[in-house]
Amino acid sequence: MGEEGTEGTVYLLCLAASSGVPLFCRSSRGGAPARQQLPFSVIGSLNGVHMFGQNLEVQLSSARTEDTTVVWKSFHDSITLIVLSSEEGTSELKLERLLQMVFGAMVLVVGLEELTNIRNVERLKKELRASYHLIDSFLGDSELIGDLTQCVDCVVPPEGSLLQEALSGFAEAAGTAFGSLVVSGRVVAATESWWRLGTPEAVLLPWLVGSLPPQAARDYPVYLPHGSPTVPHRLLTLTLLPGLELCLLCGPRPPLSQLDPQLLDRWWQPVLEPLRACVPLGPRALPAGFPLHMDILGLLLLHLELKRCLFTVEPSGDQEPSPEQRRRLLRSFYTLATATHFPPEPGSPEEKVEDAAQRTQVPRACYLVSGPEEPGTGWRLVALQSGPRRLLLLLSAQSPIHAMRGLATHTLHALTPLL
């Protein structure tokens, strides 16, 4: 299994479907933003072969060369997105979901009407620049995984009920039903209405907040790609502590000035210590002292019905591989397991009628040994499906293969109360 994200270049192209005019081109190399651009002749050829297929009623969705994977996707017969990746081990599933997130980010920033009814190409190009920072974060080596799993990245605070009570009270006092606490792009707590947000905005909003430069307060106009793609809402953010932000989704009211320090102090001063305990939770996801087996180097827990996930590569942080390698291994294993062994999540674009009918034959578990075959070398990866939960573990080379399923089962039972 190749590690997704290892050295290679990713190009993302956005074109107006009717005219083929490029709206933007973004790129990354080795997981970091790059300024490389594709020649116009290559862009024209990639779009031309896609349009040629469409004229013959043939849907060209992907292609592979010796060292590059290409995926095309059209949205509303108006926008064509093309991604090319020369990263080792890149899967089509990963690139398809990347394009879905990119289009969601475009709608989030400029609204669906601007994208489906393009009146002025140059003006649209300028408006889309506001989405570059968010889109570039999908191309880079993020610590989050919601772009791939389409589940909200979460953390488990030590005193979640206190924070939930304060959040619900504050949101009600501010006159909105949509509120959340976000640390490093991950949701700590949210109101019931916030959790009911559809895909992709449930993933995009905290990701957007985590990708923006730090600010004490923001009043940010956003469209909801699923819930309100043509009418903008306001995303209000307030920094409670460095790295920890309070987010409210609302209409014309309340004005940001109404969220004064007295209102903040009334609700958040009594829970200051629980808030402080949330700040270091970002990369760790789990409360300090949560018991995990010493062989576990990283884990991804998904709740497929709630569309939430816990993702961390912090356990045994002093051991090889590096956190970046651990994230790549788990992302790559997730893609392999999802595309090969487990069916697409219910309601996802990849789900087909025959997949839904065959769900009674779903495997319960799968595992992979990555690296040299000698005893005590390489990494072990195991995935376990139980009801709505799916757990993926990255284990050290010392972990016996015959014990992996038992370890995964025990860990899943321990994590179940958290998600």
Side-chain angles (χ1 to χ4, degrees), residues 300-323:
L300 168 62
L301 175 64
L302 302 150
H303 196 299
L304 301 175
E305 290 178 0
L306 297 178
K307 305 292 282 183
R308 304 177 200 172
C309 66
L310 298 173
F311 181 49
T312 180
V313 293
E314 290 286 302
S316 307
D318 54 341
Q319 296 183 32
E320 289 290 328
S322 68

Side-chain angles (χ1 to χ4, degrees), residues 295-345:
D295 285 346
I296 296 175
L297 303 179
L299 70 84
L300 168 62
L301 175 64
L302 302 150
H303 196 299
L304 301 175
E305 290 178 0
L306 297 178
K307 305 292 282 183
R308 304 177 200 172
C309 66
L310 298 173
F311 181 49
T312 180
V313 293
E314 290 286 302
S316 307
D318 54 341
Q319 296 183 32
E320 289 290 328
S322 68
E324 292 78 16
Q325 287 177 298
R326 295 182 188 193
R327 281 193 288 271
R328 289 170 187 161
L329 283 164
L330 275 168
R331 287 178 73 97
S332 188
F333 184 52
Y334 169 82
T335 333
L336 175 71
T338 301
T340 309
H341 302 298
F342 299 117
E345 290 78 4

Side-chain angles (χ1 to χ4, degrees), residues 59-325:
Q59 186 61 48
L60 176 62
S61 58
S62 64
R64 283 184 181 270
T65 67
E66 188 176 326
D67 59 358
T68 302
T69 303
V70 186
V71 172
W72 292 262
K73 193 164 184 65
S74 293
F75 296 87
H76 300 274
D77 296 322
S78 178
I79 297 291
T80 299
L81 293 177
I82 308 171
V83 61
L84 301 84
S85 175
S86 60
E87 293 178 336
E88 183 185 350
T90 291
S91 68
E92 291 173 15
L93 176 70
K94 174 193 172 183
L95 298 181
E96 287 167 1
R97 293 193 174 182
L98 168 65
L99 295 185
Q100 290 164 15
M101 290 296 287
V102 168
F103 185 73
M106 293 165 62
V107 176
L108 190 82
V109 172
V110 304
L112 188 61
E113 177 67 23
E114 290 291 322
L115 298 172
T116 56
N117 188 12
I118 302 174
R119 299 182 185 89
N120 187 318
V121 169
E122 293 306 314
R123 188 182 71 185
L124 179 58
K125 284 182 182 180
K126 290 179 182 177
E127 291 176 344
L128 283 171
R129 288 175 190 165
S131 67
Y132 287 178
H133 195 73
L134 180 56
I135 289 171
D136 288 348
S137 70
F138 299 141
L139 301 179
D141 274 342
S142 174
E143 293 183 357
L144 307 177
I145 200 168
D147 61 317
L148 180 61
T149 63
Q150 298 179 325
C151 295
V152 180
D153 284 277
C154 300
V155 300
V156 181
E159 297 185 72
S161 57
L162 287 176
L163 297 177
Q164 188 71 50
E165 188 179 335
L167 177 63
S168 299
F170 182 85
E172 187 178 345
T176 178
F178 299 88
S180 67
L181 288 173
V182 175
V183 59
S184 306
R186 301 163 178 87
V187 174
V188 179
T191 61
E192 287 185 22
S193 294
W194 184 285
W195 282 129
R196 286 198 293 268
L197 289 171
T199 305
E201 51 258 36
V203 175
L204 283 168
L205 288 172
W207 194 301
L208 171 67
V209 172
S211 71
L212 293 171
Q215 268 185 283
R218 300 186 195 90
D219 191 338
Y220 202 93
V222 293
Y223 296 83
L224 305 181
H226 175 77
S228 181
T230 56
V231 178
H233 285 63
R234 294 163 62 226
L235 178 65
L236 306 182
T237 71
L238 296 160
T239 299
L240 300 180
L241 292 169
L244 178 65
E245 298 190 67
L246 169 64
C247 305
L248 301 174
L249 193 62
C250 53
R253 301 187 61 81
L256 189 58
S257 57
Q258 185 178 316
L259 308 178
D260 53 42
Q262 289 81 8
L263 184 63
L264 287 168
D265 286 346
R266 175 187 163 196
W267 289 102
W268 299 109
Q269 192 65 38
V271 291
L272 187 55
E273 288 309 312
L275 286 174
R276 285 187 174 132
C278 294
V279 175
L281 277 179
R284 195 167 68 214
L286 300 172
F290 185 84
L292 284 176
H293 193 280
M294 59 185 297
D295 285 346
I296 296 175
L297 303 179
L299 70 84
L300 168 62
L301 175 64
L302 302 150
H303 196 299
L304 301 175
E305 290 178 0
L306 297 178
K307 305 292 282 183
R308 304 177 200 172
C309 66
L310 298 173
F311 181 49
T312 180
V313 293
E314 290 286 302
S316 307
D318 54 341
Q319 296 183 32
E320 289 290 328
S322 68
E324 292 78 16
Q325 287 177 298

